[in-house]
Amino acid sequence: MRSKVRGLIPRLASLVIAYPVCAGALLAQEEAAPLLVPDGFEVQVYAAGLAGPAALAFGSDGALYVALSDAGAIVRLIDRDGDGAADERATVIEDLEGPSAITWAGADLWVAESGRVGRVRAPSSAAGPEYEVIVDSLPVEGPPISALLFEPRGRAFYISLGASCNLCGEEDPRRGTILRYDLVARELVVWARGLQAVGGMAFHPETRELWATESGRDGLGDRLPPDEINVIQRGRHYGWPYCYGQRVPNPEFADTDRCDVTVPPILSLPAHSSPRGLTFYRGDAFPQEYWSDAFVVLAGEAASAVPLTGRKVVRLRVEAGRAVGVEEFMTGWWGSDGSASGRPAGALVGPDGALYVNDDAGGRIWRVSYRPEGDH
């Protein structure tokens, strides 16, 4: 249920005042578990002690903006001395209701919160930012908006709204879909259906196709159904709740006719991996063989009997615009006793070519960089 401030404009900093912190002040009090990356790469804590870092976005000012779902705020992090760790933090906007996704378009920061999408104009301006609600009256009960993405030409943005149930017919037709909002026509339409829980979206940098990760249903054991990587096409249906994977009918429906017209995934992932963040590598700081690839964050499910399928970042190998394989890239969240030290929730390539990974359970942001041979 919405709080009593619903409909009011969130509070903005009249002046976005950055305050420096002493060395290590952005680190959490408890020691972070060591994470593993391939040879030549190194991982460090960029920031910590954050209240539910749900999403990341780099601004035109080079700063990293972070949506803090638990705190209901957006903060800006800056690494002034260039050592790979944030040493300055400022609050840009607060009193949001569960901000879950952010992105930039031009000079504006766009924010998805519970039931609506708005934009923050000139968030780094000394004169103070302005907040404007663009899309309101979205469904509130159920999963929050999990992804917010502008198309390359900037005319429209896409949001994903997960299903409110495991296997049912949704009363609200906007659930279990990807929606597109046209900024010129001011029109919100269902772009694709049959997507139970899209976790991340990204446009392929060459083909301009819209890729999305999706988590599958529960109740078929620990090995089924596979989670998915999909290429999203306008007006198409991707299976849920009638079928999964390569058009396999769910036993509750057993309707092959419905499945025959659905779009199967381009790549399957282990069941209960809970894929969330998706980002293509567009920098040049990693070895060249990474340049056409993508990174996918697997958050994992604590309830699964095979938990090691998640809590990691994987490299999605891409050739000629098509996914051809998956390999582990960043691991170590699972302890030897089966406990988890955190949960990766998203990933983003920074202007410095490093990979930034937000850990919403551990309250940290990790930075993965590459050091050429001889620089170690």
Side-chain angles (χ1 to χ4, degrees):
M1 184 174 66
R2 284 198 171 278
S3 71
K4 62 183 179 181
V5 300
R6 177 68 180 121
L8 299 179
I9 298 299
R11 187 156 59 94
L12 301 162
S14 58
L15 290 177
V16 184
I17 302 174
Y19 54 90
V21 295
C22 60
L26 290 184
L27 300 183
Q29 283 75 20
E30 59 184 74
E31 195 72 21
L35 298 179
L36 305 176
V37 289
D39 290 343
F41 291 89
E42 62 180 16
V43 58
Q44 66 187 109
V45 176
Y46 184 76
L50 302 170
L56 309 175
F58 275 96
S60 56
D61 57 356
L64 179 59
Y65 290 73
V66 187
L68 303 180
S69 58
D70 294 346
I74 308 294
V75 298
R76 186 178 74 232
L77 303 177
I78 301 177
D79 174 15
R80 291 291 186 189
D81 57 13
D83 66 350
D87 44 40
E88 183 178 294
R89 179 166 68 187
T91 298
V92 175
I93 179 173
E94 39 192 4
D95 293 338
L96 294 169
E97 296 190 50
S100 55
I102 56 176
T103 192
W104 280 81
D108 297 335
L109 175 64
W110 291 73
V111 181
E113 53 174 327
S114 179
R116 62 188 183 185
V117 177
R119 64 180 168 190
V120 184
R121 292 186 178 275
S124 59
S125 170
E130 299 175 3
Y131 184 80
E132 178 186 9
V133 175
I134 302 299
V135 177
D136 208 347
S137 302
L138 293 169
V140 174
E141 301 299 329
I145 298 170
S146 57
L148 169 63
L149 178 70
F150 268 81
E151 64 184 21
R153 58 180 179 167
R155 177 190 173 100
F157 64 78
Y158 298 77
I159 56 176
S160 56
L161 278 174
S164 62
C165 57
N166 182 54
L167 205 68
C168 68
E170 287 284 3
E171 293 184 4
D172 191 322
R174 296 170 297 180
R175 283 287 181 196
T177 71
I178 290 176
L179 303 167
R180 180 181 184 269
Y181 182 78
D182 189 308
L183 292 168
V184 177
R186 297 183 180 180
E187 180 182 26
L188 183 69
V189 299
V190 174
W191 196 254
R193 302 179 185 274
L195 297 155
Q196 186 192 21
V198 168
M201 298 188 293
F203 281 98
H204 189 284
E206 297 172 0
T207 67
R208 301 301 190 190
E209 293 173 320
L210 177 59
W211 291 34
T213 65
E214 184 191 7
S215 297
R217 57 163 294 188
D218 293 326
L220 292 181
D222 293 318
R223 306 293 178 181
L224 289 174
D227 289 339
E228 302 178 356
I229 306 290
N230 290 292
V231 171
I232 304 301
Q233 303 171 43
R234 181 180 185 178
R236 301 301 301 273
H237 198 289
Y238 288 79
W240 183 87
Y242 309 111
C243 35
Y244 64 83
Q246 298 299 317
R247 295 173 172 156
V248 178
N250 272 315
E252 293 85 351
F253 295 96
D255 190 339
T256 56
D257 290 340
R258 287 183 185 270
C259 295
D260 286 345
V261 297
T262 63
V263 181
I266 60 170
L267 190 75
S268 295
L269 299 168
H272 308 296
S273 296
S274 294
R276 293 172 68 175
L278 167 66
T279 185
F280 285 95
Y281 188 78
R282 305 188 187 191
D284 59 6
F286 283 12
Q288 191 168 357
E289 58 264 29
Y290 284 83
W291 291 4
S292 63
D293 294 342
F295 292 99
V296 179
V297 173
L298 307 183
E301 294 181 8
S304 173
V306 282
L308 296 182
T309 57
R311 308 284 171 128
K312 65 181 71 172
V313 178
V314 296
R315 173 189 179 188
L316 184 62
R317 288 186 172 272
V318 180
E319 294 180 3
R322 293 292 174 262
V324 297
V326 178
E327 64 184 42
E328 290 186 344
F329 179 77
M330 189 177 181
T331 62
W333 277 278
W334 287 117
S336 57
D337 60 353
S339 63
S341 61
R343 178 181 60 192
L348 182 67
V349 179
D352 58 353
L355 182 70
Y356 292 77
V357 178
N358 51 304
D359 179 338
D360 62 355
R364 303 182 182 94
I365 297 172
W366 300 90
R367 179 179 180 270
V368 183
S369 57
Y370 182 74
R371 299 181 65 182
E373 187 175 353
D375 288 354
H376 299 282

